[in-house]
Amino acid sequence: RNLFGLLVLLPWAFQFGLRQAVTTKYWPFFMWRTCIGLTGMFGMFLSVVLLPAAEAVALNFVMPMFAVLGAYLFLGEKVGPRRWIATAVGFMGMLIIVQPGSDLFKWQAAVPVLAAAAMAAAILSVKHLTSLGENPVRAVFLFGLLATPISFSITAFVWVTPSLYQLWIMLLVGATGSAAHVCFTAAFKRADASSLMVFDYLRLPFVAFFAFLLLGEVPSLWIWAG
């Protein structure tokens, strides 16, 4: 995810200039953002192993709530009742779709919650970086530059050589992930984090749409209601 996302952004780095692409006044902040972002990423992957997918997804979607609360507490954003209501309604819609069961109350449920908190902290860090005037694409490029060797040092202990087909999927994931990351970062430069986080729930209908289009999965009544 991190390696291929970085490779996708290399043409931008060469066009922008490698020296400029890695020049920033906020290296300590980037280190913090990378470590907390990787914590959230690994936590989300681990939660899918420890819990059924529905429970893992449900608990991970507390992230927008953490982000809105963090934007209010740490970034000084004004969060009115409409944003709180929109966030709560989005969370309720997610619960209707995934219909989590009793696994929400196991100790393993703490993993996706902590991952969501870490991801929210990473998102607020990105918002702070853009408010300081940081280039959105450079912010994503430097994350990949730092995250790739760190995550490889962990992955090396359980390395499995991917097949060509898996490499193609990884390239697709890296490309779409980086594109989403750049768009997300650019959006934070233009609007409050608390107003943007509500749109995170749009992942659900998009997932349902592509599951139908690519995998032939017919959405159930609960998915439409959610």
Side-chain angles (χ1 to χ4, degrees), residues 89-137:
V89 169
F91 186 73
M92 288 169 60
M94 176 277 305
L95 291 177
I96 292 171
I97 289 174
V98 301
Q99 298 181 45
S102 58
D103 288 299
L104 284 176
F105 303 101
K106 293 182 177 179
W107 69 266
Q108 291 93 333
V111 174
V113 172
L114 292 173
M119 291 168 72
I123 283 170
L124 295 176
S125 300
V126 171
K127 172 60 182 174
H128 183 62
L129 280 169
T130 57
S131 69
L132 293 173
E134 186 58 85
N135 182 301
V137 186

mmCIF file of all heavy atoms in Angstrom, residues 89-137:
data_model
loop_
_atom_site.group_PDB
_atom_site.id
_atom_site.type_symbol
_atom_site.label_atom_id
_atom_site.label_comp_id
_atom_site.label_asym_id
_atom_site.label_seq_id
_atom_site.Cartn_x
_atom_site.Cartn_y
_atom_site.Cartn_z
ATOM 1 N N VAL A 89 -26.016 10.781 12.248
ATOM 2 C CA VAL A 89 -26.899 10.111 11.281
ATOM 3 C C VAL A 89 -26.077 9.204 10.358
ATOM 4 O O VAL A 89 -26.497 8.075 10.044
ATOM 5 C CB VAL A 89 -27.688 11.151 10.453
ATOM 6 C CG1 VAL A 89 -28.391 10.493 9.275
ATOM 7 C CG2 VAL A 89 -28.722 11.844 11.349
ATOM 8 N N GLY A 90 -24.897 9.672 9.933
ATOM 9 C CA GLY A 90 -24.018 8.841 9.115
ATOM 10 C C GLY A 90 -23.605 7.573 9.847
ATOM 11 O O GLY A 90 -23.582 6.483 9.269
ATOM 12 N N PHE A 91 -23.308 7.710 11.132
ATOM 13 C CA PHE A 91 -22.917 6.547 11.941
ATOM 14 C C PHE A 91 -24.086 5.569 12.081
ATOM 15 O O PHE A 91 -23.904 4.344 11.998
ATOM 16 C CB PHE A 91 -22.440 7.003 13.322
ATOM 17 C CG PHE A 91 -21.876 5.896 14.169
ATOM 18 C CD1 PHE A 91 -20.636 5.349 13.875
ATOM 19 C CD2 PHE A 91 -22.577 5.402 15.251
ATOM 20 C CE1 PHE A 91 -20.106 4.328 14.656
ATOM 21 C CE2 PHE A 91 -22.062 4.387 16.032
ATOM 22 C CZ PHE A 91 -20.819 3.848 15.739
ATOM 23 N N MET A 92 -25.292 6.086 12.268
ATOM 24 C CA MET A 92 -26.471 5.226 12.363
ATOM 25 C C MET A 92 -26.714 4.480 11.051
ATOM 26 O O MET A 92 -27.066 3.291 11.041
ATOM 27 C CB MET A 92 -27.694 6.061 12.736
ATOM 28 C CG MET A 92 -27.692 6.557 14.171
ATOM 29 S SD MET A 92 -28.985 7.798 14.467
ATOM 30 C CE MET A 92 -30.448 6.852 14.068
ATOM 31 N N GLY A 93 -26.531 5.174 9.923
ATOM 32 C CA GLY A 93 -26.686 4.530 8.621
ATOM 33 C C GLY A 93 -25.707 3.393 8.439
ATOM 34 O O GLY A 93 -26.049 2.329 7.906
ATOM 35 N N MET A 94 -24.463 3.599 8.924
ATOM 36 C CA MET A 94 -23.450 2.549 8.845
ATOM 37 C C MET A 94 -23.871 1.343 9.678
ATOM 38 O O MET A 94 -23.726 0.190 9.250
ATOM 39 C CB MET A 94 -22.113 3.113 9.325
ATOM 40 C CG MET A 94 -20.960 2.123 9.401
ATOM 41 S SD MET A 94 -20.952 1.152 10.919
ATOM 42 C CE MET A 94 -20.962 2.443 12.151
ATOM 43 N N LEU A 95 -24.423 1.578 10.876
ATOM 44 C CA LEU A 95 -24.859 0.474 11.732
ATOM 45 C C LEU A 95 -25.973 -0.330 11.074
ATOM 46 O O LEU A 95 -26.026 -1.559 11.189
ATOM 47 C CB LEU A 95 -25.332 1.011 13.090
ATOM 48 C CG LEU A 95 -24.257 1.596 14.014
ATOM 49 C CD1 LEU A 95 -24.900 2.146 15.284
ATOM 50 C CD2 LEU A 95 -23.227 0.524 14.384
ATOM 51 N N ILE A 96 -26.871 0.360 10.375
ATOM 52 C CA ILE A 96 -27.959 -0.327 9.660
ATOM 53 C C ILE A 96 -27.394 -1.231 8.574
ATOM 54 O O ILE A 96 -27.870 -2.354 8.353
ATOM 55 C CB ILE A 96 -28.942 0.700 9.060
ATOM 56 C CG1 ILE A 96 -29.702 1.418 10.175
ATOM 57 C CG2 ILE A 96 -29.924 0.028 8.104
ATOM 58 C CD1 ILE A 96 -30.540 2.593 9.696
ATOM 59 N N ILE A 97 -26.341 -0.764 7.896
ATOM 60 C CA ILE A 97 -25.760 -1.530 6.788
ATOM 61 C C ILE A 97 -25.006 -2.763 7.294
ATOM 62 O O ILE A 97 -25.244 -3.883 6.838
ATOM 63 C CB ILE A 97 -24.818 -0.640 5.953
ATOM 64 C CG1 ILE A 97 -25.635 0.386 5.163
ATOM 65 C CG2 ILE A 97 -23.974 -1.483 4.998
ATOM 66 C CD1 ILE A 97 -24.797 1.407 4.431
ATOM 67 N N VAL A 98 -24.095 -2.586 8.248
ATOM 68 C CA VAL A 98 -23.229 -3.698 8.652
ATOM 69 C C VAL A 98 -23.868 -4.583 9.710
ATOM 70 O O VAL A 98 -23.479 -5.736 9.872
ATOM 71 C CB VAL A 98 -21.851 -3.194 9.139
ATOM 72 C CG1 VAL A 98 -21.146 -2.421 8.050
ATOM 73 C CG2 VAL A 98 -21.980 -2.342 10.394
ATOM 74 N N GLN A 99 -24.865 -4.037 10.453
ATOM 75 C CA GLN A 99 -25.581 -4.802 11.476
ATOM 76 C C GLN A 99 -24.625 -5.611 12.360
ATOM 77 O O GLN A 99 -24.650 -6.845 12.362
ATOM 78 C CB GLN A 99 -26.597 -5.739 10.818
ATOM 79 C CG GLN A 99 -27.668 -5.001 10.034
ATOM 80 C CD GLN A 99 -28.673 -5.931 9.413
ATOM 81 O OE1 GLN A 99 -29.160 -6.861 10.054
ATOM 82 N NE2 GLN A 99 -29.002 -5.696 8.155
ATOM 83 N N PRO A 100 -23.774 -4.931 13.088
ATOM 84 C CA PRO A 100 -22.814 -5.649 13.936
ATOM 85 C C PRO A 100 -23.525 -6.432 15.037
ATOM 86 O O PRO A 100 -24.613 -6.073 15.475
ATOM 87 C CB PRO A 100 -21.952 -4.525 14.520
ATOM 88 C CG PRO A 100 -22.833 -3.315 14.465
ATOM 89 C CD PRO A 100 -23.678 -3.481 13.236
ATOM 90 N N GLY A 101 -22.868 -7.499 15.467
ATOM 91 C CA GLY A 101 -23.466 -8.347 16.499
ATOM 92 C C GLY A 101 -22.766 -8.220 17.831
ATOM 93 O O GLY A 101 -22.190 -7.187 18.164
ATOM 94 N N SER A 102 -22.762 -9.316 18.581
ATOM 95 C CA SER A 102 -22.252 -9.300 19.958
ATOM 96 C C SER A 102 -20.736 -9.146 20.022
ATOM 97 O O SER A 102 -20.189 -8.882 21.094
ATOM 98 C CB SER A 102 -22.653 -10.592 20.672
ATOM 99 O OG SER A 102 -22.144 -11.718 19.971
ATOM 100 N N ASP A 103 -20.052 -9.329 18.878
ATOM 101 C CA ASP A 103 -18.597 -9.197 18.892
ATOM 102 C C ASP A 103 -18.147 -7.780 19.222
ATOM 103 O O ASP A 103 -16.976 -7.553 19.512
ATOM 104 C CB ASP A 103 -18.015 -9.614 17.535
ATOM 105 C CG ASP A 103 -18.088 -11.118 17.322
ATOM 106 O OD1 ASP A 103 -17.482 -11.838 18.128
ATOM 107 O OD2 ASP A 103 -18.774 -11.559 16.385
ATOM 108 N N LEU A 104 -19.063 -6.809 19.168
ATOM 109 C CA LEU A 104 -18.720 -5.433 19.527
ATOM 110 C C LEU A 104 -18.290 -5.324 20.984
ATOM 111 O O LEU A 104 -17.644 -4.355 21.377
ATOM 112 C CB LEU A 104 -19.923 -4.507 19.289
ATOM 113 C CG LEU A 104 -20.227 -4.121 17.840
ATOM 114 C CD1 LEU A 104 -21.499 -3.297 17.783
ATOM 115 C CD2 LEU A 104 -19.081 -3.331 17.241
ATOM 116 N N PHE A 105 -18.652 -6.298 21.796
ATOM 117 C CA PHE A 105 -18.410 -6.203 23.237
ATOM 118 C C PHE A 105 -17.267 -7.103 23.699
ATOM 119 O O PHE A 105 -17.111 -7.340 24.888
ATOM 120 C CB PHE A 105 -19.704 -6.545 23.985
ATOM 121 C CG PHE A 105 -20.862 -5.668 23.590
ATOM 122 C CD1 PHE A 105 -21.823 -6.128 22.705
ATOM 123 C CD2 PHE A 105 -20.975 -4.371 24.063
ATOM 124 C CE1 PHE A 105 -22.886 -5.323 22.314
ATOM 125 C CE2 PHE A 105 -22.029 -3.557 23.678
ATOM 126 C CZ PHE A 105 -22.984 -4.038 22.805
ATOM 127 N N LYS A 106 -16.466 -7.619 22.775
ATOM 128 C CA LYS A 106 -15.287 -8.386 23.133
ATOM 129 C C LYS A 106 -14.089 -7.459 23.298
ATOM 130 O O LYS A 106 -14.088 -6.333 22.791
ATOM 131 C CB LYS A 106 -14.979 -9.425 22.052
ATOM 132 C CG LYS A 106 -16.031 -10.527 21.929
ATOM 133 C CD LYS A 106 -15.624 -11.536 20.872
ATOM 134 C CE LYS A 106 -16.628 -12.682 20.775
ATOM 135 N NZ LYS A 106 -16.248 -13.669 19.731
ATOM 136 N N TRP A 107 -13.046 -7.960 23.987
ATOM 137 C CA TRP A 107 -11.866 -7.108 24.203
ATOM 138 C C TRP A 107 -11.202 -6.733 22.885
ATOM 139 O O TRP A 107 -10.594 -5.674 22.766
ATOM 140 C CB TRP A 107 -10.872 -7.807 25.121
ATOM 141 C CG TRP A 107 -10.197 -9.010 24.504
ATOM 142 C CD1 TRP A 107 -10.569 -10.312 24.604
ATOM 143 C CD2 TRP A 107 -9.023 -9.002 23.671
ATOM 144 N NE1 TRP A 107 -9.721 -11.125 23.888
ATOM 145 C CE2 TRP A 107 -8.756 -10.358 23.311
ATOM 146 C CE3 TRP A 107 -8.174 -8.002 23.194
ATOM 147 C CZ2 TRP A 107 -7.690 -10.718 22.495
ATOM 148 C CZ3 TRP A 107 -7.114 -8.356 22.377
ATOM 149 C CH2 TRP A 107 -6.875 -9.692 22.032
ATOM 150 N N GLN A 108 -11.331 -7.614 21.868
ATOM 151 C CA GLN A 108 -10.717 -7.323 20.571
ATOM 152 C C GLN A 108 -11.302 -6.072 19.927
ATOM 153 O O GLN A 108 -10.684 -5.471 19.050
ATOM 154 C CB GLN A 108 -10.906 -8.512 19.616
ATOM 155 C CG GLN A 108 -10.128 -9.759 19.991
ATOM 156 C CD GLN A 108 -10.942 -10.712 20.843
ATOM 157 O OE1 GLN A 108 -11.852 -10.290 21.555
ATOM 158 N NE2 GLN A 108 -10.610 -11.994 20.793
ATOM 159 N N ALA A 109 -12.516 -5.683 20.371
ATOM 160 C CA ALA A 109 -13.166 -4.505 19.798
ATOM 161 C C ALA A 109 -12.385 -3.228 20.087
ATOM 162 O O ALA A 109 -12.575 -2.212 19.408
ATOM 163 C CB ALA A 109 -14.588 -4.373 20.338
ATOM 164 N N ALA A 110 -11.486 -3.282 21.083
ATOM 165 C CA ALA A 110 -10.684 -2.092 21.392
ATOM 166 C C ALA A 110 -9.700 -1.772 20.268
ATOM 167 O O ALA A 110 -9.314 -0.612 20.085
ATOM 168 C CB ALA A 110 -9.923 -2.309 22.702
ATOM 169 N N VAL A 111 -9.305 -2.786 19.482
ATOM 170 C CA VAL A 111 -8.290 -2.579 18.433
ATOM 171 C C VAL A 111 -8.788 -1.621 17.350
ATOM 172 O O VAL A 111 -8.121 -0.619 17.053
ATOM 173 C CB VAL A 111 -7.840 -3.924 17.828
ATOM 174 C CG1 VAL A 111 -6.891 -3.699 16.651
ATOM 175 C CG2 VAL A 111 -7.164 -4.775 18.887
ATOM 176 N N PRO A 112 -9.965 -1.862 16.715
ATOM 177 C CA PRO A 112 -10.416 -0.905 15.699
ATOM 178 C C PRO A 112 -10.781 0.457 16.275
ATOM 179 O O PRO A 112 -10.663 1.469 15.560
ATOM 180 C CB PRO A 112 -11.640 -1.592 15.077
ATOM 181 C CG PRO A 112 -12.089 -2.587 16.072
ATOM 182 C CD PRO A 112 -10.856 -3.043 16.776
ATOM 183 N N VAL A 113 -11.197 0.515 17.535
ATOM 184 C CA VAL A 113 -11.489 1.813 18.151
ATOM 185 C C VAL A 113 -10.205 2.619 18.308
ATOM 186 O O VAL A 113 -10.161 3.820 17.992
ATOM 187 C CB VAL A 113 -12.199 1.633 19.512
ATOM 188 C CG1 VAL A 113 -12.331 2.974 20.229
ATOM 189 C CG2 VAL A 113 -13.572 1.010 19.316
ATOM 190 N N LEU A 114 -9.148 1.961 18.801
ATOM 191 C CA LEU A 114 -7.859 2.641 18.931
ATOM 192 C C LEU A 114 -7.302 3.011 17.559
ATOM 193 O O LEU A 114 -6.699 4.075 17.392
ATOM 194 C CB LEU A 114 -6.870 1.748 19.679
ATOM 195 C CG LEU A 114 -7.181 1.509 21.164
ATOM 196 C CD1 LEU A 114 -6.225 0.480 21.749
ATOM 197 C CD2 LEU A 114 -7.108 2.808 21.948
ATOM 198 N N ALA A 115 -7.514 2.133 16.566
ATOM 199 C CA ALA A 115 -7.077 2.442 15.192
ATOM 200 C C ALA A 115 -7.816 3.664 14.665
ATOM 201 O O ALA A 115 -7.216 4.529 14.021
ATOM 202 C CB ALA A 115 -7.328 1.239 14.280
ATOM 203 N N ALA A 116 -9.117 3.742 14.944
ATOM 204 C CA ALA A 116 -9.916 4.891 14.509
ATOM 205 C C ALA A 116 -9.424 6.170 15.166
ATOM 206 O O ALA A 116 -9.347 7.229 14.526
ATOM 207 C CB ALA A 116 -11.389 4.659 14.835
ATOM 208 N N ALA A 117 -9.061 6.095 16.456
ATOM 209 C CA ALA A 117 -8.542 7.269 17.156
ATOM 210 C C ALA A 117 -7.214 7.717 16.548
ATOM 211 O O ALA A 117 -6.968 8.917 16.364
ATOM 212 C CB ALA A 117 -8.373 6.954 18.641
ATOM 213 N N ALA A 118 -6.350 6.745 16.211
ATOM 214 C CA ALA A 118 -5.063 7.078 15.585
ATOM 215 C C ALA A 118 -5.269 7.702 14.213
ATOM 216 O O ALA A 118 -4.599 8.682 13.859
ATOM 217 C CB ALA A 118 -4.202 5.817 15.474
ATOM 218 N N MET A 119 -6.192 7.148 13.439
ATOM 219 C CA MET A 119 -6.460 7.693 12.107
ATOM 220 C C MET A 119 -7.047 9.101 12.198
ATOM 221 O O MET A 119 -6.735 9.969 11.378
ATOM 222 C CB MET A 119 -7.405 6.759 11.352
ATOM 223 C CG MET A 119 -6.762 5.432 10.985
ATOM 224 S SD MET A 119 -7.950 4.183 10.404
ATOM 225 C CE MET A 119 -8.366 4.849 8.801
ATOM 226 N N ALA A 120 -7.892 9.335 13.192
ATOM 227 C CA ALA A 120 -8.447 10.675 13.387
ATOM 228 C C ALA A 120 -7.337 11.665 13.727
ATOM 229 O O ALA A 120 -7.315 12.796 13.224
ATOM 230 C CB ALA A 120 -9.499 10.649 14.489
ATOM 231 N N ALA A 121 -6.394 11.236 14.589
ATOM 232 C CA ALA A 121 -5.259 12.101 14.941
ATOM 233 C C ALA A 121 -4.409 12.403 13.710
ATOM 234 O O ALA A 121 -3.932 13.534 13.533
ATOM 235 C CB ALA A 121 -4.417 11.428 16.020
ATOM 236 N N ALA A 122 -4.222 11.401 12.845
ATOM 237 C CA ALA A 122 -3.452 11.607 11.612
ATOM 238 C C ALA A 122 -4.156 12.600 10.696
ATOM 239 O O ALA A 122 -3.514 13.460 10.083
ATOM 240 C CB ALA A 122 -3.249 10.270 10.898
ATOM 241 N N ILE A 123 -5.471 12.488 10.604
ATOM 242 C CA ILE A 123 -6.254 13.397 9.756
ATOM 243 C C ILE A 123 -6.155 14.830 10.269
ATOM 244 O O ILE A 123 -5.974 15.778 9.491
ATOM 245 C CB ILE A 123 -7.719 12.924 9.693
ATOM 246 C CG1 ILE A 123 -7.820 11.722 8.747
ATOM 247 C CG2 ILE A 123 -8.651 14.039 9.233
ATOM 248 C CD1 ILE A 123 -9.155 11.034 8.790
ATOM 249 N N LEU A 124 -6.247 14.997 11.581
ATOM 250 C CA LEU A 124 -6.134 16.337 12.156
ATOM 251 C C LEU A 124 -4.723 16.892 11.950
ATOM 252 O O LEU A 124 -4.549 18.104 11.782
ATOM 253 C CB LEU A 124 -6.492 16.297 13.642
ATOM 254 C CG LEU A 124 -7.946 15.925 13.952
ATOM 255 C CD1 LEU A 124 -8.167 15.829 15.455
ATOM 256 C CD2 LEU A 124 -8.918 16.929 13.343
ATOM 257 N N SER A 125 -3.719 16.002 11.956
ATOM 258 C CA SER A 125 -2.341 16.437 11.680
ATOM 259 C C SER A 125 -2.225 16.969 10.261
ATOM 260 O O SER A 125 -1.552 17.972 10.013
ATOM 261 C CB SER A 125 -1.371 15.264 11.879
ATOM 262 O OG SER A 125 -1.430 14.783 13.207
ATOM 263 N N VAL A 126 -2.877 16.266 9.311
ATOM 264 C CA VAL A 126 -2.871 16.720 7.918
ATOM 265 C C VAL A 126 -3.547 18.078 7.800
ATOM 266 O O VAL A 126 -3.062 18.972 7.086
ATOM 267 C CB VAL A 126 -3.572 15.686 7.014
ATOM 268 C CG1 VAL A 126 -3.771 16.244 5.610
ATOM 269 C CG2 VAL A 126 -2.763 14.401 6.958
ATOM 270 N N LYS A 127 -4.660 18.239 8.494
ATOM 271 C CA LYS A 127 -5.364 19.522 8.472
ATOM 272 C C LYS A 127 -4.467 20.637 9.000
ATOM 273 O O LYS A 127 -4.413 21.738 8.424
ATOM 274 C CB LYS A 127 -6.648 19.428 9.309
ATOM 275 C CG LYS A 127 -7.364 20.754 9.519
ATOM 276 C CD LYS A 127 -7.802 21.400 8.204
ATOM 277 C CE LYS A 127 -8.474 22.746 8.442
ATOM 278 N NZ LYS A 127 -8.779 23.448 7.171
ATOM 279 N N HIS A 128 -3.731 20.349 10.070
ATOM 280 C CA HIS A 128 -2.822 21.344 10.631
ATOM 281 C C HIS A 128 -1.703 21.678 9.650
ATOM 282 O O HIS A 128 -1.337 22.847 9.484
ATOM 283 C CB HIS A 128 -2.245 20.829 11.944
ATOM 284 C CG HIS A 128 -1.349 21.810 12.643
ATOM 285 N ND1 HIS A 128 -1.786 23.030 13.092
ATOM 286 C CD2 HIS A 128 -0.020 21.750 12.942
ATOM 287 C CE1 HIS A 128 -0.792 23.690 13.650
ATOM 288 N NE2 HIS A 128 0.292 22.936 13.567
ATOM 289 N N LEU A 129 -1.160 20.650 8.971
ATOM 290 C CA LEU A 129 -0.100 20.887 7.993
ATOM 291 C C LEU A 129 -0.576 21.774 6.847
ATOM 292 O O LEU A 129 0.134 22.685 6.420
ATOM 293 C CB LEU A 129 0.399 19.547 7.432
ATOM 294 C CG LEU A 129 1.386 18.769 8.300
ATOM 295 C CD1 LEU A 129 1.577 17.360 7.751
ATOM 296 C CD2 LEU A 129 2.728 19.497 8.369
ATOM 297 N N THR A 130 -1.788 21.510 6.344
ATOM 298 C CA THR A 130 -2.300 22.324 5.236
ATOM 299 C C THR A 130 -2.584 23.752 5.696
ATOM 300 O O THR A 130 -2.426 24.689 4.916
ATOM 301 C CB THR A 130 -3.569 21.703 4.642
ATOM 302 O OG1 THR A 130 -4.566 21.557 5.668
ATOM 303 C CG2 THR A 130 -3.279 20.350 4.027
ATOM 304 N N SER A 131 -2.987 23.910 6.957
ATOM 305 C CA SER A 131 -3.230 25.263 7.471
ATOM 306 C C SER A 131 -1.926 26.046 7.600
ATOM 307 O O SER A 131 -1.931 27.275 7.599
ATOM 308 C CB SER A 131 -3.946 25.200 8.826
ATOM 309 O OG SER A 131 -3.097 24.673 9.832
ATOM 310 N N LEU A 132 -0.798 25.329 7.702
ATOM 311 C CA LEU A 132 0.513 25.974 7.751
ATOM 312 C C LEU A 132 1.034 26.307 6.357
ATOM 313 O O LEU A 132 2.105 26.895 6.216
ATOM 314 C CB LEU A 132 1.516 25.063 8.473
ATOM 315 C CG LEU A 132 1.272 24.815 9.971
ATOM 316 C CD1 LEU A 132 2.239 23.761 10.493
ATOM 317 C CD2 LEU A 132 1.408 26.105 10.769
ATOM 318 N N GLY A 133 0.270 25.887 5.318
ATOM 319 C CA GLY A 133 0.652 26.191 3.943
ATOM 320 C C GLY A 133 1.384 25.078 3.234
ATOM 321 O O GLY A 133 1.930 25.295 2.142
ATOM 322 N N GLU A 134 1.411 23.865 3.819
ATOM 323 C CA GLU A 134 2.107 22.749 3.192
ATOM 324 C C GLU A 134 1.409 22.310 1.906
ATOM 325 O O GLU A 134 0.184 22.299 1.817
ATOM 326 C CB GLU A 134 2.181 21.564 4.173
ATOM 327 C CG GLU A 134 3.008 20.393 3.690
ATOM 328 C CD GLU A 134 4.450 20.764 3.366
ATOM 329 O OE1 GLU A 134 5.276 20.776 4.296
ATOM 330 O OE2 GLU A 134 4.724 21.059 2.190
ATOM 331 N N ASN A 135 2.207 21.974 0.895
ATOM 332 C CA ASN A 135 1.691 21.482 -0.381
ATOM 333 C C ASN A 135 0.986 20.141 -0.159
ATOM 334 O O ASN A 135 1.587 19.207 0.390
ATOM 335 C CB ASN A 135 2.854 21.314 -1.365
ATOM 336 C CG ASN A 135 2.406 20.856 -2.737
ATOM 337 O OD1 ASN A 135 1.803 19.804 -2.883
ATOM 338 N ND2 ASN A 135 2.714 21.651 -3.752
ATOM 339 N N PRO A 136 -0.290 19.985 -0.591
ATOM 340 C CA PRO A 136 -1.025 18.735 -0.335
ATOM 341 C C PRO A 136 -0.363 17.497 -0.931
ATOM 342 O O PRO A 136 -0.319 16.447 -0.280
ATOM 343 C CB PRO A 136 -2.390 18.991 -0.994
ATOM 344 C CG PRO A 136 -2.541 20.470 -1.018
ATOM 345 C CD PRO A 136 -1.154 21.001 -1.215
ATOM 346 N N VAL A 137 0.166 17.603 -2.164
ATOM 347 C CA VAL A 137 0.790 16.434 -2.792
ATOM 348 C C VAL A 137 2.096 16.089 -2.076
ATOM 349 O O VAL A 137 2.413 14.913 -1.861
ATOM 350 C CB VAL A 137 1.048 16.680 -4.290
ATOM 351 C CG1 VAL A 137 1.571 15.407 -4.960
ATOM 352 C CG2 VAL A 137 -0.215 17.143 -4.985
#
